[in-house]
Amino acid sequence: MVMTASSRAPESAGHQQSERSPFARTTELLAPYRPAKPLITLSLGEPQHPVPDFVGPVLAKHIADFGRYPLARGIEPFRRAAANWLSSRFDLPRGIDPESEILVLNGSREGLFFAALTAARHVGERRGKPAILMPNPFYPAYGAGARAAGCEQIYLPTTLANGFLPDLDTLEDATLARTVAIYIASPANPQGAVASRQYFSRLKRLADRFGFMILSDECYSEIYTKDAPGSALECAGPDFANVVAFQSLSKRSNLPGMRVGFAAGDKTFLGLFHELRNVAAPQVPVPLQQVAVAAYGDEAHVEENRRLYRIKFDLADQILGNRYGYRRPAGGFCAWLDVSARGGDEAVAVRLYRDAGVRVIPGSYLARQQADGFNPGAGYIRLALVSDSESTAEALHRLVETLD
């Protein structure tokens, strides 16, 4: 059966199971077993590199600011720092206005979730049941946001055949006419694919033609091997209409526990987004925003972060070679391995945990079953290369010894 953009999962108990946290499902899958070797965890994409040196002093300087409620839109120094960073990092049509085109987020996840609710209100009535499109596999917050917004979730399979990005040629006019928003991740999670400028430009033309939002998840943009990934904002035109990009310090600055990010772009959308977040979303403590100001003003720690990931992917190149369809990703810190010939993703995840002490996540848990029964994550495992290089090398050697 040929896959199309209108393919969607059937409403069933199995589908409801698939919408649960992939990490909770992995924990349940592995619960009956005990690892035969000291555990190395590659399942959770939680950066483990050192926290930047400036974090402690900045927090100490602004500790008294924990004693007041933060503004939902973010303090002016944060918005200015984020806008300046965007303008220096990307080839934007013009500079971002820190007063109207930037909002602080409590990490990009809550922003991506609440953005779906805002998009449903922002775009207005659709021709048919409102829908939100998303790549498949995808970050679970996309599906949760679409469901909370009362929109149909339409999954766009991302496979080796289409370069692990949604195939825009499969998007039918009837589907686009009822689309509220499309989530796009570049670099993609889990495969690390990076959208080209041409890809973003084409997506922008579709958004303008049919009046939907592009919600561009760019939280992995600062982790790459060779070419720096671009942003959807580069192709959004001088008013950034219908485009909002989401960024986070979790990956860029190795600060996953700080929960600071931002949304930037279409000011009309962000005005509605601010109204919603002002009453419903978690605020970001001022001292943490001050740390973010320092982080966006410093590139040395980001370069060091990239260097450490580069070392680990050099190891993966050497140890994995061309096994399991391994390809060094253009961005991000995950390896996406095809283990369909070794018994499938769940069986391999159990085997690696039980026999090798290596914890990975089954690819099918990161994706959803399409209407024809196809799960584009099935047969793959995701490895997050977030541990130190020694642990990473040990885990990769154990993986090869166990599966070969």
Side-chain angles (χ1 to χ4, degrees), residues 41-271:
T41 297
L42 302 181
S43 56
L44 184 62
E46 179 183 60
Q48 299 294 305
H49 297 164
V51 171
D53 292 340
F54 56 75
V55 173
V58 173
L59 281 176
K61 181 179 179 181
H62 296 279
I63 198 76
D65 287 329
F66 278 115
R68 57 193 179 97
Y69 288 120
L71 293 174
R73 66 198 298 252
I75 60 174
E76 191 275 337
F78 170 84
R79 288 181 279 111
R80 185 175 65 250
N84 289 342
W85 176 76
L86 279 173
S87 295
S88 63
R89 168 64 175 82
F90 299 105
D91 182 21
L92 302 182
R94 63 165 173 81
I96 292 283
D97 179 7
E99 293 301 313
S100 62
E101 294 172 337
I102 290 273
L103 281 180
V104 72
L105 300 175
N106 199 286
S108 58
R109 180 169 69 170
E110 68 92 355
L112 290 162
F113 172 82
F114 280 109
L117 281 68
T118 305
R121 176 185 174 194
H122 173 69
V123 303
E125 187 174 348
R126 300 279 86 185
R127 299 179 191 172
K129 181 175 176 58
I132 291 181
L133 282 54
M134 62 198 73
N136 192 22
F138 61 95
Y139 187 44
Y142 308 164
R147 178 174 285 276
C151 296
E152 179 183 338
Q153 302 165 58
I154 294 184
Y155 310 127
L156 311 178
T158 56
T159 64
L160 179 61
N162 58 28
F164 295 118
L165 290 171
D167 185 352
L168 302 184
D169 288 331
T170 67
L171 300 177
E172 302 166 351
D173 285 3
T175 299
L176 293 170
R178 61 189 183 92
T179 295
V180 163
I182 180 171
Y183 284 105
I184 184 74
S186 176
N189 177 12
Q191 310 99 327
V194 171
S196 67
R197 192 181 186 95
Q198 292 73 23
Y199 187 97
F200 277 133
S201 294
R202 188 177 177 196
L203 187 56
K204 161 68 171 170
R205 290 194 293 272
L206 290 174
D208 289 347
R209 177 185 170 194
F210 290 96
F212 60 80
M213 290 298 304
I214 299 171
L215 306 177
S216 186
D217 182 354
E218 300 173 8
C219 73
Y220 288 94
S221 70
E222 304 314 289
I223 302 174
Y224 54 87
T225 297
K226 184 179 178 182
D227 298 321
S231 169
L233 294 173
E234 295 177 318
C235 307
D239 56 1
F240 303 110
N242 297 326
V243 179
V244 174
F246 296 81
Q247 278 283 350
S248 168
L249 290 175
S250 296
K251 277 71 178 179
R252 174 189 180 272
S253 297
N254 208 48
L255 292 168
M258 202 173 82
R259 313 313 304 141
V260 179
F262 66 81
D266 186 320
K267 66 181 180 181
T268 303
F269 177 91
L270 289 177

Side-chain angles (χ1 to χ4, degrees), residues 222-390:
E222 304 314 289
I223 302 174
Y224 54 87
T225 297
K226 184 179 178 182
D227 298 321
S231 169
L233 294 173
E234 295 177 318
C235 307
D239 56 1
F240 303 110
N242 297 326
V243 179
V244 174
F246 296 81
Q247 278 283 350
S248 168
L249 290 175
S250 296
K251 277 71 178 179
R252 174 189 180 272
S253 297
N254 208 48
L255 292 168
M258 202 173 82
R259 313 313 304 141
V260 179
F262 66 81
D266 186 320
K267 66 181 180 181
T268 303
F269 177 91
L270 289 177
L272 288 174
F273 197 28
H274 175 233
E275 289 183 3
L276 174 61
R277 295 193 72 263
N278 206 24
V279 297
Q283 298 158 305
V284 181
V286 170
L288 303 188
Q289 294 186 57
Q290 294 288 3
V291 172
V293 171
Y296 283 121
D298 179 77
E299 290 297 321
H301 75 284
V302 185
E303 290 283 355
E304 173 63 8
N305 208 28
R306 273 196 294 272
R307 185 186 72 84
L308 295 174
Y309 284 118
R310 195 175 301 122
I311 290 171
K312 288 182 282 190
F313 275 105
D314 287 345
L315 290 168
D317 291 349
Q318 297 166 20
I319 298 168
L320 296 178
N322 60 3
R323 295 178 177 87
Y324 329 118
Y326 168 73
R327 295 184 180 187
R328 187 166 181 153
F333 52 51
C334 293
W336 188 237
L337 305 184
D338 183 353
V339 293
S340 55
R342 267 77 175 179
D345 54 324
E346 286 184 313
V348 165
V350 168
R351 188 176 170 192
L352 289 174
Y353 180 76
R354 182 192 62 206
D355 299 343
V358 176
R359 185 182 178 112
V360 302
I361 193 162
S364 59
Y365 292 6
L366 298 168
R368 301 290 184 269
Q369 184 175 297
Q370 307 273 161
D372 63 353
F374 174 62
N375 182 319
Y380 286 87
I381 54 173
R382 191 191 78 171
L383 282 59
L385 305 188
V386 292
S387 298
D388 60 79
S389 57
E390 292 79 9

